[in-house]
Amino acid sequence: MTVTDRRVTVPLDWFEESSNETISVFARELVDPGRRHEDLPVMVFLQGGPGGKGPRPTVRDGWIGQVLKTHRLVLLDQRGTGRSTRVDADFMSRFAGNGASNSAGAAADYLLHFRADSIVADAEHLRKTVYGGRRWTTLGQSYGGFLTLTYLSQAPEGLTASYVTGGLASICPDASEVYRRTYPRTRAKNQQFHSRYPDDVKLLARLADRLAAGDVRLPDGDTLTVRRFQTLGIDFGMKPGFERMHWLLDEAFADDGERLHDGFLAQVLARSSYADNPLFAVMQENIYGHGANGPSNWAAQAEHDRNPDFAEAARPLLLTGEMMYPWMFEEIRLLRPFAGAVNELARRENFSELYNVERLAANEVPVAAAVYFDDMYVDSGLQLDTAAAVGNVHAWVTNEFEHDGIGDPKVFTYLQDKIASLGGEK
């Protein structure tokens, strides 16, 4: 692969002309070395998340290898992530002081500039300034599909076609409706894990009892609680998530049967610290809904309270999924500086509208979407409701893959063939 780094300066606030603060947005372009001088079509990859940076490929394979057969590929570090101006725990310290409520309000206001509408505006600026305004194609994975719908709402004239994998956002339902559907699927994934590894059911109970007894510290000094360990169930929506959990548990206890291995604790820290993607936790409940849906009021926590079988003391111990809870911003070191802001966001009544329902209904840009029927994170029923409400969307429903099905090159190949059958990228 021939690699070219791109960087552009953009307004922090695209929608307020009087604002003069700027941030940096980074993107990395890949192209087949033998075709680097050709006038190839351009595809921009919209990463999952929220708070996801672009992939860092080590080899030319999978979907990236497939894309490079026909396109230049642009891997965007969404604002706040990767080599774009980062928003992390250290950055959030700038909002400390001036009174707790003033600090929280200012921090929440700042974070609102990292929603889908601003990310799409960044992409459009990159397309117009670096790529001469030529139309390009989007490939949106997971949250990247949410971004795709915002792109089709804000600037469809910039697109030739859109590919979506596991991410046709629900246009109208709020976070509460999303989580009402999410918990049953997460419960089902736990049951599948128990069926595949029945001995791990007792091991999970034993581990939970040990954590509940207290005084288990992670390498960074945080206390490992039962509920923090439960969040590792987020991996159950990926392949091979069950296997990763099984082998993690396999070496949890030392030979004395009481002490937890340092290696186990180091792995738990790496999987639950949010060191590389704090905005994933911070912005999670703000990606749902269509503008003035009212406050989220910690929708995942509210639904958790209605499902007592997910409690820390329940047995068998059930692990949770892609849910973010207010206690995480107290217990997890690198999320604590965001606590005031996320609590403020959970109370906010109104947000900018991310989707133009009328424009989406009249959409003419061809969209090919892979809908994973058993997706643990993005409800397939809501995805199909969106496919019916947006013009020119062609959904491929499959239960062959989990949420990370894009890792199999035949997913992209299938969608590419579908776009070609619709007349190609015009």
Side-chain angles (χ1 to χ4, degrees), residues 9 94 117 216 242 292 306 377:
T9 298
R94 66 185 284 182
D117 47 2
V216 176
F242 291 162
R306 287 188 281 268
Y377 316 118

Side-chain angles (χ1 to χ4, degrees), residues 103-372:
S103 173
D109 290 341
Y110 189 85
L111 291 173
L112 289 177
H113 298 306
F114 293 81
R115 300 179 77 228
D117 47 2
S118 295
I119 295 170
V120 168
D122 293 341
E124 270 295 275
H125 180 75
L126 185 69
R127 182 183 69 85
K128 292 174 180 177
T129 59
V130 175
Y131 292 96
R134 62 180 300 185
R135 298 167 70 198
W136 61 10
T137 300
T138 60
L139 170 57
Q141 157 66 11
S142 188
Y143 177 62
F146 292 44
L147 296 175
T148 301
L149 293 177
T150 301
Y151 215 139
L152 292 170
S153 297
Q154 289 185 191
E157 67 279 2
L159 305 179
T160 58
S162 292
Y163 301 72
V164 175
T165 54
L168 282 179
S170 51
I171 296 175
C172 293
D174 60 10
S176 296
E177 174 62 21
V178 169
Y179 289 116
R180 276 194 289 272
R181 295 171 180 244
T182 297
Y183 273 87
R185 293 199 310 279
T186 305
R187 181 181 294 110
K189 294 293 186 183
N190 274 272
Q191 291 167 349
Q192 291 173 29
F193 177 71
H194 297 166
S195 177
R196 185 172 300 183
Y197 296 110
D199 289 345
D200 286 353
V201 177
K202 291 183 178 179
L203 188 54
L204 278 168
R206 180 179 160 206
L207 174 63
D209 291 344
R210 175 64 191 89
L211 297 179
D215 197 31
V216 176
R217 297 282 177 173
L218 293 169
D220 68 347
D222 279 352
T223 298
L224 177 57
T225 59
V226 177
R227 59 189 181 182
R228 179 165 176 173
F229 183 81
Q230 285 177 285
T231 65
L232 270 60
I234 191 172
D235 202 23
F236 282 177
M238 307 286 190
K239 287 184 177 180
F242 291 162
E243 284 62 45
R244 284 189 288 262
M245 177 58 66
H246 173 67
W247 294 123
L248 176 67
L249 294 170
D250 185 60
E251 296 185 355
F253 285 94
D255 292 340
D256 62 11
E258 287 295 323
R259 185 175 62 84
L260 295 173
H261 271 302
D262 290 341
F264 166 80
L265 294 173
Q267 289 187 61
V268 172
L269 175 63
R271 299 186 194 192
S272 65
S273 71
Y274 296 92
D276 197 42
N277 59 343
L279 289 181
F280 177 60
V282 170
M283 302 300 291
Q284 186 65 224
E285 290 202 359
N286 293 287
I287 66 175
Y288 300 112
H290 177 54
N293 282 41
S296 73
N297 285 329
W298 291 110
Q301 181 67 58
E303 191 63 26
H304 185 279
D305 296 342
R306 287 188 281 268
N307 289 269
D309 55 335
F310 280 90
E312 299 166 67
R315 301 292 183 269
L317 184 73
L318 299 184
L319 307 185
T320 54
E322 195 179 44
M323 301 94 166
M324 302 301 158
Y325 306 107
W327 60 260
M328 296 170 65
F329 298 88
E330 302 167 3
E331 290 187 12
I332 299 175
R333 179 179 301 270
L334 294 180
L335 293 183
R336 287 174 200 153
F338 293 93
V342 293
N343 282 308
E344 173 66 21
L345 288 173
R347 293 189 291 265
R348 290 282 175 100
E349 292 282 344
N350 297 307
F351 297 87
S352 58
E353 291 192 353
L354 300 178
Y355 311 124
N356 183 318
V357 176
E358 292 76 18
R359 180 172 279 187
L360 288 174
N363 174 60
E364 296 182 352
V365 177
V367 180
V371 175
Y372 305 128

Side-chain angles (χ1 to χ4, degrees), residues 2-13:
T2 293
V3 181
T4 305
D5 290 351
R6 310 284 193 186
R7 186 179 298 278
V8 294
T9 298
V10 299
L12 171 67
D13 189 338

